Amino acid sequence: QVQLVESGGGSVQAGGSLRLSCAASGRTSSNSAMAWFRQAPGKEREFVAGIRWIGDAPNYVDSVKGRFTISRDDAKNTMYLQMNSLKPEDTAVYYCAARPRTVPMYTYWGQGTQVTVSS
């Protein structure tokens, strides 16, 4: 089992920045792919960014490319999401997720952290 705990959410004005962290514990492994998802009110959960291992080319949803940066520090069992130039449409609950690299579905999820961007 892997436990994931997000932190760093909050309220900012448009154009501001936040840095989310995801601390992993339990049977963590550098062989786990990790990702950030988000869910806005009334919308389905969507993939935001993912990274399979340190040095891997990360993936981003088009709407955050150039503004968000995903990274991971396996020595600290922590993943990050640096969010710059935030927009009101980025408002959502952000979730951290992990999966073994050989498994296509994300199987471990955090409880989520709220990000609110005001105009």
Side-chain angles (χ1 to χ4, degrees):
Q1 289 290 331
V2 175
Q3 292 79 44
L4 304 172
V5 178
E6 303 96 335
S7 62
S11 298
V12 296
Q13 290 190 329
S17 299
L18 284 173
R19 187 194 195 201
L20 305 183
S21 298
C22 172
S25 60
R27 296 185 62 183
T28 58
S29 169
S30 60
N31 288 323
S32 296
M34 300 188 75
W36 289 97
F37 288 74
R38 66 186 180 187
Q39 187 167 20
K43 295 186 177 181
E44 293 187 354
R45 187 175 299 186
E46 69 167 346
F47 172 86
V48 176
I51 184 167
R52 291 177 295 178
W53 53 78
I54 291 179
D56 180 38
N59 293 316
Y60 298 95
V61 67
D62 286 347
S63 60
V64 307
K65 286 181 179 178
R67 300 188 298 122
F68 290 11
T69 302
I70 188 173
S71 61
R72 59 189 290 171
D73 184 340
D74 290 342
K76 296 181 178 179
N77 288 328
T78 303
M79 177 179 66
Y80 305 96
L81 185 68
Q82 178 66 45
M83 305 186 294
N84 298 328
S85 302
L86 283 162
K87 304 176 181 180
E89 50 264 44
D90 295 318
T91 295
V93 177
Y94 284 71
Y95 297 90
C96 169
R99 61 174 175 85
R101 290 184 196 172
T102 57
V103 175
M105 299 293 292
Y106 284 91
T107 52
Y108 302 107
W109 293 86
Q111 82 288 349
T113 185
Q114 176 70 45
V115 171
T116 302
V117 184
S118 59
S119 58

